[in-house]
Amino acid sequence: MSNSGNKRSVISIRRAYEEPSEQDGYRILVDRLWPRGRSKESLKLDQWARELAPSDELRKWFGHDPQRWEVFQQRYRSELAEAEKVQQMQLLLADAAGRPMTLVYGAKDEQHNQAVVLREVMSKLRPG
């Protein structure tokens, strides 16, 4: 898990297959599909924001191929720039009420996944 060390509340990312931590704060699943083999209780989620996950078309095209990472980021940022998605991200930030926030994802690749991009986009929206 990685996060920034500044004074405003942190947005972290964590794989769905890692145990939740007290420091996670407000936990949001950001996958379109439920993580295989994980129960609702084990994930300890506050919300499931499946609408913020990449579109099915983009997710299937990307296929977690690191060679497609740069283009994936550009396309995903374009999806996240839609007014409806910006509003949803702002609502999630408001719901977290300044607490630490953890974006939970299921991908095996910890560097090339949508939570990495979403954290960066949401960090720019977060007041502070």
Side-chain angles (χ1 to χ4, degrees):
M1 183 178 80
S2 57
N3 51 34
S4 62
N6 60 16
K7 288 204 171 211
R8 66 184 180 175
S9 294
V10 172
I11 299 175
S12 303
I13 60 175
R14 182 183 294 273
R15 285 196 72 225
Y17 301 98
E18 294 178 46
E19 289 305 310
S21 163
E22 290 290 321
Q23 288 75 40
D24 286 350
Y26 198 76
R27 288 174 54 88
I28 305 158
L29 179 62
V30 295
D31 283 354
R32 192 165 295 275
L33 306 173
W34 191 264
R36 194 172 280 146
R38 296 296 286 176
S39 69
K40 187 176 181 181
E41 295 76 27
S42 69
L43 288 178
K44 295 187 168 134
L45 298 172
D46 292 289
Q47 285 201 41
W48 181 9
R50 68 172 66 136
E51 306 81 18
L52 289 179
S55 63
D56 283 336
E57 180 183 40
L58 181 56
R59 178 179 57 83
K60 290 174 183 172
W61 171 83
F62 176 45
H64 297 284
D65 179 348
Q67 293 184 330
R68 294 183 173 181
W69 176 239
E70 293 301 321
V71 175
F72 168 79
Q73 288 183 83
Q74 292 168 1
R75 291 180 182 176
Y76 185 36
R77 284 176 205 279
S78 292
E79 289 183 1
L80 291 173
E82 296 169 11
E84 183 178 299
K85 297 203 193 270
V86 170
Q87 183 178 23
Q88 186 175 5
M89 288 184 282
Q90 290 171 329
L91 283 172
L92 288 172
L93 291 165
D95 289 347
R99 292 177 284 167
M101 176 184 280
T102 299
L103 306 178
V104 180
Y105 66 96
K108 290 178 185 172
D109 188 330
E110 295 182 22
Q111 275 119 29
H112 306 100
N113 66 72
Q114 79 276 7
V116 171
V117 179
L118 185 57
R119 175 180 58 184
E120 192 175 305
V121 172
M122 288 182 73
S123 291
K124 290 177 182 169
L125 292 175
R126 187 163 218 159

